[in-house]
Amino acid sequence: MRNVIIIGSGPAGYTAAIYAARANLEPLMFAGDEVGGQLMTTTDVDNYPGFPDGIQGPDLMTAMRKQAERVGAEIVSEMVDAVDLSSRPFKVTVGDETHETETVIISTGASAKRLGLESEKALYGRGVSACATCDGFFFKGKDVVVVGGGDSAMEESNFLTRFANHVTILVRKDVLKASPIMQDRAKSNKKISFEWNVDVVEVLGAEEGKVTGVMLKDTKTGDKREMKTDGIFVAIGHTPNTEIFKGQLSLDGRGYIVTSGGPSTEIDGVYAAGDVQDSRYRQAVTAAGSGCEAALDAQRFIEEHEG
Amino acid sequence: MALEFTDENFEKEVLQAENVVLVDFWAPWCGPCKVLGPTIDELAEEYKGKGVKIGKMNVDENQTVPGQFGIMSIPTLIFFKDGKPQDQVVGAQPKEKLAEKLDTFAS
């Protein structure tokens, strides 16, 4: 029987692990398949407080993990397959092992959305990329497109100009969602241009075995046209990772876990922290704060139910 | 620890090998590659002496072989048997999935 099981390993999960470990709760964390979360595929993190020169996303996550391990958190790189929150103790199933626990902290975050096209799937890794920081290197001197209009799309585009000849940002509307500072950076980058009011309806290049272009559809006129490109990076947002909680916890219309007063779900002893329950802020620092709240609430819950 | 494959030793270590070889194409600046790294090292230990060779190739330091295999995304894992590519996976994978594939090819 565990005191705390933490599901997920981004800033929310690691911070919860640090606090729970220091409260002598001996937390067990299942880090999942995307260990370290969304920050593992970013580069410069300039807005996490405490780093006057910024810090690389993966370095920040490695540091958080090391800190959690140093204070005594047990971290396992496995994926939780199922949970049973219908009664206490709660049950968490990983492979063929089921763990019982007094409290659960859900910090499974969100995963990058794909376009959802068959043609995208077919050329995944052959010009269709889910990780600009991993794959930008292979597009030296080439032309690429980035799909999206938010901060991620701006950041990836700027990053890709280090390698690419040219980056075209394909935006569905005629305005960007990105923050002003990120918009300015992208707009003043000479290697970046924008195409407005377009949807990508197909990724071309199946016969050649690699991306040769994209088929665009004008969202206002419906007209289609081909655009040549060597690579396509999709940065259209994230969906919360809440599949295994369906039917057990309330989810809102977009799949986010419904919480109140911070990390509390409708089940006492079950907490949700970070992006998995936050569609409004979604920052590393708000996730970390949320993870801390969850651990403190879990600690209080355990103390109240002792003996 | 996983072996290190290079442009120089690839012919001998992978293409002329008689057993199953798993090659992990990676780079130090790639987050998911770093996440996968320890898994590859663990598999290398577990499959020692079982007719399976496991190693990594740093695409920053080796340009020829990755170019020959059209690597455009990392991490990319290629499973070789008798020197021929049998399967290719892109992106970090859970250990069980990789072990399953290795068992299929090794048998």
Side-chain angles (χ1 to χ4, degrees):
Chain A
M1 172 75 115
R2 309 295 304 218
N3 288 314
V4 183
I5 285 184
I6 300 168
I7 309 177
S9 60
Y14 286 138
T15 305
I18 289 166
Y19 274 83
R22 285 169 48 86
N24 291 329
L25 296 177
E26 297 177 316
L28 170 60
M29 171 193 274
F30 291 106
D33 281 346
E34 294 177 46
V35 177
Q38 296 171 51
L39 286 159
M40 294 304 285
T41 54
T42 59
T43 49
D44 307 317
V45 175
D46 286 319
N47 53 13
Y48 196 91
F51 298 92
D53 299 316
I55 183 167
Q56 297 294 301
D59 291 338
L60 180 59
M61 287 303 97
T62 306
M64 285 195 188
R65 185 188 176 114
K66 279 202 174 124
Q67 188 173 350
E69 285 169 335
R70 180 178 69 85
V71 298
E74 189 183 339
I75 301 176
V76 175
S77 288
E78 288 186 37
M79 185 77 156
V80 168
D81 297 309
V83 295
D84 179 358
L85 307 174
S86 59
S87 61
R88 288 182 9 227
F90 305 113
K91 293 156 202 66
V92 175
T93 304
V94 178
D96 42 21
E97 277 179 15
T98 297
H99 305 261
E100 290 192 338
T101 181
E102 293 275 9
T103 64
V104 179
I105 295 178
I106 299 167
S107 53
T108 51
S111 293
K113 277 192 202 150
R114 301 288 165 82
L115 293 171
L117 305 169
E118 275 307 314
S119 53
E120 172 196 22
K121 217 162 140 194
L123 289 170
Y124 184 59
R126 314 289 309 164
V128 176
S129 173
C131 176
T133 54
C134 311
D135 305 339
F137 175 76
F138 300 98
F139 296 91
K140 266 188 208 148
K142 302 212 167 140
D143 294 332
V144 299
V145 299
V146 173
V147 186
D151 276 346
S152 293
M154 298 306 111
E155 197 208 316
E156 289 194 9
S157 303
N158 277 308
F159 174 78
L160 289 165
T161 59
R162 286 188 213 181
F163 304 101
N165 176 52
H166 190 82
V167 177
T168 309
I169 303 180
L170 304 174
V171 191
R172 177 172 283 177
K173 300 197 178 152
D174 50 19
V175 285
L176 295 172
K177 263 195 316 186
S179 60
I181 189 172
M182 293 303 286
Q183 285 197 36
D184 288 342
R185 230 182 259 176
K187 285 180 176 168
S188 54
N189 189 322
K190 296 207 163 56
K191 284 179 155 190
I192 295 178
S193 64
F194 293 80
E195 291 280 346
W196 306 95
N197 303 305
V198 284
D199 253 337
V200 174
V201 293
E202 204 187 331
V203 178
L204 309 169
E207 268 175 35
E208 291 86 344
K210 60 177 186 169
V211 170
T212 56
V214 285
M215 181 70 78
L216 302 176
K217 182 170 161 188
D218 190 301
T219 56
K220 293 200 160 150
T221 65
D223 289 340
K224 286 194 190 168
R225 62 182 160 94
E226 262 188 51
M227 179 180 171
K228 274 207 172 88
T229 188
D230 300 308
I232 170 168
F233 294 81
V234 180
I236 56 175
H238 295 77
T239 5
N241 297 316
T242 49
E243 271 302 304
I244 63 170
F245 308 111
K246 275 195 182 138
Q248 301 199 48
L249 286 174
S250 293
L251 305 178
D252 74 11
R254 286 183 289 167
Y256 289 89
I257 295 180
V258 175
T259 52
S260 62
S264 298
T265 66
E266 76 250 48
I267 300 177
D268 274 345
V270 177
Y271 307 95
D275 280 17
V276 75
Q277 53 86 52
D278 173 21
S279 57
R280 184 176 164 124
Y281 301 102
R282 297 179 287 161
Q283 302 299 306
V285 64
T286 54
S290 178
C292 166
E293 288 175 347
L296 292 175
D297 280 354
Q299 182 185 359
R300 193 162 300 164
F301 177 89
I302 289 167
E303 284 165 3
E304 280 167 8
H305 290 82
E306 241 158 25
Chain B
M1 274 294 288
L3 299 170
E4 200 188 326
F5 297 129
T6 62
D7 281 336
E8 291 74 40
N9 71 17
F10 199 78
E11 172 80 33
K12 177 158 176 280
E13 296 288 334
V14 182
L15 301 178
Q16 290 175 9
E18 275 168 11
N19 36 18
V20 173
V21 185
L22 170 57
V23 181
D24 169 21
F25 292 92
W26 74 291
W29 30 258
C30 154
C33 299
K34 286 197 274 201
V35 170
L36 182 64
T39 303
I40 299 295
D41 286 332
E42 279 168 31
L43 285 169
E45 285 306 304
E46 287 166 26
Y47 280 84
K48 235 185 216 166
K50 292 190 184 169
V52 174
K53 207 190 269 188
I54 297 177
K56 300 180 194 172
M57 173 168 270
N58 184 330
V59 305
D60 234 358
E61 295 171 0
N62 301 281
Q63 314 281 311
T64 316
V65 171
Q68 282 168 356
F69 287 91
I71 303 293
M72 291 174 87
S73 187
I74 48 175
T76 289
L77 300 150
I78 303 186
F79 296 79
F80 290 83
K81 187 164 181 174
D82 300 326
K84 295 196 187 61
Q86 304 290 319
D87 196 1
Q88 184 167 315
V89 180
V90 174
Q93 308 289 322
K95 195 164 145 191
E96 307 78 52
K97 194 156 164 217
L98 295 175
E100 249 177 65
K101 283 189 186 272
L102 285 171
D103 292 336
T104 322
F105 293 121
S107 58

